[in-house]
């Protein structure tokens, strides 16, 4: 992976390299140093979690613990103070008790994730989990999904508020109507701004002014 990063960064015309997903155990000192040496790498890390409860992680046969996940988060944040860490969490996995779920919620809040993609457990034919006892009723899975999404929204709002009033480079990608353009910062914050000309595929400095709904902020282009 490190070799791919370094070779990709050499390609002229590529300004940003962003991970779609990273396993927590990949995040070691060598990985961090490689990213430090590769400025094109975006400081957005989607670290797969699935659950913040070790009992559930073991049942899922995940190859890491909640403590190892948290250590990976600490390594990233120690190296990049603007890092956005997002994740996936499954709720209602067979055998997940209310106490296990609350432990997972508390873990997500403690590590202060930027965004959680929440999925209620869905049986897949032929998997060991399909045959597990203690399948969770759909109404409980729906309730846990709702509660975890509320936590995600609170964490995301807290994350976005840190950048209000700051200047950030935004790669604008598309016009969403009128003179409003949308793009992303290096740490994958969705930004909208007004401009009188087509700025799609341009990277411009933007002063973040306010949040405008889930996962999105509005800003003023400093110069163009």
């Amino acid at each position: 992976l490190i070799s791919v990063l370094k070779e990709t960064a050499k390609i002229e015309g590529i300004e940003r390299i962003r991970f779609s997903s990273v396993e927590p155990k990949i995040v070691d000192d060598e990985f961090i140093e490689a990213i430090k040496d590769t400025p094109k790498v975006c400081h957005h890390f989607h670290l797969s979690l699935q659950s913040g409860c070790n009992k559930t992680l073991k049942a899922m046969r995940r190859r890491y613990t909640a403590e190892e996940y948290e250590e990976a988060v600490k390594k990233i944040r120690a190296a990049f103070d603007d890092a956005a860490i997002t994740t996936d969490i499954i709720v209602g996995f067979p055998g997940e008790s209310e106490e296990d779920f609350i432990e997972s919620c508390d873990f997500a809040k403690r590590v202060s994730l930027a965004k959680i993609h929440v999925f209620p457990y869905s049986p897949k034919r032929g998997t060991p989990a399909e045959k597990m006892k203690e399948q969770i009723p759909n109404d409980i899975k729906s309730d846990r999904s709702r509660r975890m999404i509320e936590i995600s929204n609170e964490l995301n709002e807290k994350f976005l508020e840190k950048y209000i009033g700051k200047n950030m480079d935004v790669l604008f990608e598309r016009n969403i109507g009128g003179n409003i353009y949308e793009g992303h910062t290096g740490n994958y914050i969705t930004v909208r701004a007004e401009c009188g000309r087509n700025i799609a595929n341009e990277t411009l400095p933007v002063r973040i002014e306010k949040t405008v709904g889930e996962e999105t902020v509005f800003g003023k282009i400093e110069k163009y």
Side-chain angles (χ1 to χ4, degrees), residues 40-57:
K40 290 183 178 181
V41 174
C42 295
H43 296 170
H44 169 229
F45 303 88
H46 189 79
L47 289 183
S48 179
L49 177 58
Q50 310 306 343
S51 175
C53 170
N54 280 331
K55 173 191 158 189
T56 305
L57 287 173

Side-chain angles (χ1 to χ4, degrees), residues 6 29 35 37 47 61 81 90 149 161 167 176 189 195 211 218 221:
K6 291 183 176 180
D29 292 339
I35 294 174
D37 293 338
L47 289 183
R61 300 185 182 179
D81 58 9
I90 295 173
I149 289 170
E161 285 176 351
N167 290 333
I176 61 170
I189 296 172
C195 189
T211 58
F218 194 89
I221 297 174

Side-chain angles (χ1 to χ4, degrees), residues 154-165:
E154 291 169 4
L155 291 172
N156 184 246
E157 183 177 358
K158 181 180 176 182
F159 175 74
L160 295 180
E161 285 176 351
K162 293 192 301 183
Y163 296 94
I164 302 299

